[in-house]
Amino acid sequence: GEHAKRVLICEPARASGALVRARKGSAGFKVEFHGKSAHAGNNPQAGRNAAIAMMRFSTALYEFNDFQRGTTYNPGVVSAGTAENVIPDYASVVFDTRYWCDADGAEMQAKIEELAAKTWVEGVTATVTRLFHIPAMPLSDAAKTLDEDIAKAAKLAGFEAQFVEAGGASDGNHIAESGVPVVDGCGPAGDNMHTEREFLELASVERMVKMQANLYSII
């Protein structure tokens, strides 16, 4: 990607036919809590409840969601306990984070680590593991210029190009990290991806192929 001047990603266009000019970055974190087990009936006071620590941490972190800014924390997978009569000595939560710029992503990781270092239940400790990291794909000035040329190419193909920003990540995120202008969603239009209701608009295939061919002549 870094050796290219411009890159088109042929993931599907939106259902409306819109292309994707910016994407959020994403990172996943697993936070594990270690406490002490005990019998919930005979001596619950001897236990150190990792599940309670995990829940308190998760709800506290969730409060930092900022939908206007586009920074979100989602506790997508939680796990704790072996039986209802045992104080759980282990619990974990896996968070998905999303952000429009990498500086926000770094700030979010720092917030996770800061909260994990706090004591949520006396005697329970926590560790943070970053599972993956995908950089943001911002709308750079170079990408704006590429958008303008795509709009011209689309007009020659008989349609008006529309652009949107998407919360999901793609290969374009990694290419954009190297500074190369990227536009995504240059494939045929469709929707309901990864479900049994996924569909492709056949009429959009020819339209998008013509747009890409026209772009080469403009360049």
Side-chain angles (χ1 to χ4, degrees), residues 35-36 47-55 86-89 121-122 124:
K36 181 182 178 182
R48 301 293 180 266
N49 198 312
I52 295 297
M54 179 268 288
M55 288 186 280
V86 178
I87 305 296
D89 63 352
V121 168
E122 195 66 41
V124 177

Side-chain angles (χ1 to χ4, degrees), residues 8-13 17 19 149-150 152-159 185-189 200-218:
L8 304 183
I9 303 292
C10 291
E11 286 218 0
L19 290 77
D149 286 343
I150 285 178
K152 294 174 186 175
K155 201 158 193 175
L156 291 172
F159 70 100
C186 295
L200 169 73
E201 183 192 338
L202 291 176
S204 69
V205 176
E206 183 178 0
R207 179 169 77 228
M208 299 304 272
V209 169
K210 284 182 176 179
M211 180 204 74
Q212 292 185 40
N214 292 338
L215 181 62
Y216 292 122
S217 66
I218 290 172

Side-chain angles (χ1 to χ4, degrees), residues 111-198:
K111 178 59 67 177
I112 291 172
E113 292 171 346
E114 175 194 338
L115 291 187
K118 290 187 174 184
T119 299
W120 298 100
V121 168
E122 195 66 41
V124 177
T125 60
T127 58
V128 179
T129 302
R130 190 172 77 174
L131 303 177
F132 65 87
H133 171 258
I134 301 173
M137 184 181 118
L139 181 57
S140 64
D141 289 339
K144 289 178 183 177
T145 301
L146 177 54
D147 288 351
E148 291 170 1
D149 286 343
I150 285 178
K152 294 174 186 175
K155 201 158 193 175
L156 291 172
F159 70 100
E160 295 290 330
Q162 297 177 321
F163 298 91
V164 296
E165 293 78 38
S170 81
D171 292 338
N173 292 63
H174 298 288
I175 296 170
E177 186 180 26
S178 65
V180 177
V182 180
V183 171
D184 206 337
C186 295
D191 203 1
N192 299 328
M193 278 78 77
H194 310 305
T195 74
E196 70 280 4
R197 302 179 306 282
E198 181 173 328

